[in-house]
Amino acid sequence: MRIPFLVFSLVFTLSRLQAQVKPLRTQIEQLLQSKKATVGVGIYDFDTKQTILLNGDKHLPMQSVYKFHVALTVLKEVDKGRFKLDQKMHVKKSDIVPGLHSPMGEDHPNGDMDLPLSEIIRYMVAESDGSACDYLFRLLGGPTQVNTFIHQLGIKEVAIRETEETMQAKGNWDVQYTNWTTPAAMLDLLKLFYQQKILSKPSHDFLWKVMTGTVTGENRLKKLLPAGTLVTHKTGTSGTNKEGMMGAVNDVGFIALPNGKHIVISVFVANSTEGIDKNEQIIADIAKLAYDHFAKSK
């Protein structure tokens, strides 16, 4: 008689959680109703275990969000002893790819410098540096190595196939869709990272600090939150095609609540003709709704 009781208890708990999160889901659905975009949302509260997924199984382009995946892969190799965070890496002038967003290249326009691995990771994640990303791809052996590692974690609904140089090349609009994730898979990966099930504590803490220092996307997850709210995140942004469509305006990560606990949140705004300002506002509005809901439920 115990098994039916356990099943009943589980069903009851799930139903209660769904009821608690329903007002937030409704608010987000109403917000998105008139938007000319495909918006994928994943939200999870570690305290209440409440989850929201909208378009959770859609394949949506990541753009630079996948630099989080690259960072995880590199840091796993650090944990294995293959590299060290303070290890000096020689960056040649040819490693600075023309046309890519590259603060590393702006800071060192002549190349031929030795930078600690930690600094190259920081450039890639916190400043979304394309040249730093492709340098780390080469260090690992290519995008396939990153794709394989993420799949080995049990995160299957993700594909990482192309480098920044290839993805950002002129005339290659469609290639961005080969680097995709589902919002559900992104949420699962973020949860594993938060729970320290991927990296050692030193590597986890390093990446957490780097993501908290992200300088891109100030008008996204952060924009409408109370001053001083810590957001630990990674952004991704595409260009705009001749039809006025943006392939991706994304922001994923963690928002600290007033009690010190966190929610995981990922918002992917895909194939949008709303324009960059409105796309970013969608992300900001969803983050504010989520923050308010979970801050009040504590």
Side-chain angles (χ1 to χ4, degrees), residues 76-107:
K76 191 63 177 181
E77 294 302 310
V78 170
D79 288 344
K80 291 177 181 178
R82 180 180 172 191
F83 307 118
K84 295 180 180 179
L85 279 176
D86 61 358
Q87 181 176 343
K88 292 296 179 68
M89 298 290 177
H90 187 69
V91 181
K92 304 185 296 294
K93 186 168 185 176
S94 60
D95 290 322
I96 309 301
V97 182
L100 291 185
H101 170 70
S102 183
M104 181 174 71
E106 293 169 7
D107 292 343

Side-chain angles (χ1 to χ4, degrees), residues 10 13 22-23 68 92 134 187 199 205 213 249 261 277:
L10 178 60
T13 300
K22 186 176 180 180
F68 172 66
K92 304 185 296 294
D134 281 2
L187 199 64
L199 302 174
D205 292 349
V249 180
K261 296 186 178 181
D277 291 342

Side-chain angles (χ1 to χ4, degrees), residues 123-271:
Y123 272 122
M124 177 182 69
V125 176
E127 301 195 47
S128 210
D129 192 302
S131 292
C133 181
D134 281 2
Y135 183 95
L136 294 174
F137 268 139
R138 288 190 293 275
L139 189 69
L140 292 166
T144 299
Q145 305 306 315
V146 179
N147 192 67
T148 299
F149 173 65
I150 300 301
H151 284 203
Q152 287 171 346
L153 295 174
I155 310 299
K156 304 295 187 183
E157 289 300 300
V158 60
I160 299 170
R161 298 192 175 111
E162 300 293 344
T163 65
E164 285 287 294
E165 183 175 12
T166 302
M167 192 163 55
Q168 306 302 338
K170 290 183 179 180
N172 271 10
W173 176 261
D174 290 338
V175 77
Q176 68 182 298
Y177 297 100
T178 65
N179 291 334
W180 58 264
T181 186
T182 65
M186 191 73 240
L187 199 64
D188 286 344
L189 183 62
L190 290 167
K191 286 161 66 176
L192 285 178
F193 170 67
Y194 185 87
Q195 293 163 339
Q196 300 189 37
K197 294 182 177 179
I198 301 175
L199 302 174
S200 68
K201 189 175 190 310
S203 291
H204 169 91
D205 292 349
F206 166 75
L207 184 52
W208 183 271
K209 182 178 180 180
V210 168
M211 292 174 69
T212 304
T214 289
V215 298
T216 58
E218 289 294 316
N219 291 323
R220 300 182 193 181
L221 291 178
K222 286 185 173 184
K223 182 181 179 181
L224 299 178
L225 302 181
T229 301
L230 288 180
V231 179
T232 302
H233 64 131
K234 182 70 200 83
T235 60
T237 313
S238 77
T240 304
N241 69 11
K242 60 185 179 181
E243 285 79 32
M245 177 185 289
M246 294 192 75
V249 180
N250 308 327
D251 205 354
V252 311
F254 309 89
I255 298 174
L257 298 174
N259 65 357
K261 296 186 178 181
H262 294 84
I263 58 173
V264 189
I265 183 167
S266 61
V267 185
F268 296 87
V269 182
N271 301 330

